[in-house]
DNA sequence: GTGCCGTGTCAATGACGCTTGACAAACCAG
DNA sequence: CTGGTTTGTCAAGCGTCATTGACACGGCAC
């Protein structure tokens, strides 16, 4: 899966740490998802979508 | 997460085995997701949404 | 009744998601 | 140059996702 997390985060001027706190996950998890080392669980994908006010499909796309 | 998998499957007259084959997962995985024993991975959630021609959010909702 | 199908569930195994703690490199501030 | 922030990455550990193989039960055909 590809994702637009890094862009969305940068648009808001947040560090990985900031985002991690808002999502209630570790900074390493945010980093791993951004760098494509793994995909988030479905519940976390929902929290991410909620935080950015978007649909999951607008943030995550197949590919890679 | 709650999900409407069982209903959507029944609407199409598919067995768990039928659905499992279309999703390329085991029958046990379909059953576990339907009975709420665990949530699918994000990639599998995408395959499910694609199969039913719906958004992930239309099939899976928070709760439980 | 016997047989088959669909479903629910168990155990064991392997891969993935997420954690904490740590370290290094790049960057800019002072 | 020194110090703080940010990012990338590693390792170890634990719980979850998904697998195969197996078993039990209810429903329906015959």
């Amino acid at each position: 899966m590809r994702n637009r997390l890094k862009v969305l985060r940068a648009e808001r001027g947040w560090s990985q740490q900031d985002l991690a706190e808002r999502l209630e996950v570790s900074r390493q998890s945010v980093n791993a998802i951004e760098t494509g080392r793994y995909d988030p669980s479905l519940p976390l994908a929902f929290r991410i979508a909620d935080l950015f006010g978007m649909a999951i499909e607008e943030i995550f796309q197949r590919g890679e």
Side-chain angles (χ1 to χ4, degrees), chain A:
Chain A
M1 308 243 60
R2 255 172 299 173
N3 71 74
R4 310 206 300 121
L5 211 52
K6 191 166 190 161
V7 184
L8 295 171
R9 179 175 62 80
E11 282 173 3
R12 285 157 182 79
W14 296 341
S15 68
Q16 291 182 345
Q17 180 64 45
D18 293 333
L19 178 54
E21 284 166 11
R22 286 171 207 262
L23 294 173
E24 299 181 304
V25 294
S26 68
R27 179 185 71 83
Q28 286 85 340
S29 289
V30 168
N31 184 70
I33 294 166
E34 283 193 358
T35 57
R37 285 191 288 116
Y38 57 70
D39 297 321
S41 67
L42 186 56
L44 179 51
F46 265 86
R47 277 185 273 149
I48 293 170
D50 285 358
L51 180 61
F52 290 111
M54 295 180 175
I56 289 178
E57 286 87 348
E58 292 175 317
I59 302 177
F60 300 90
Q61 305 94 26
R62 359 184 117 281
E64 195 89 347

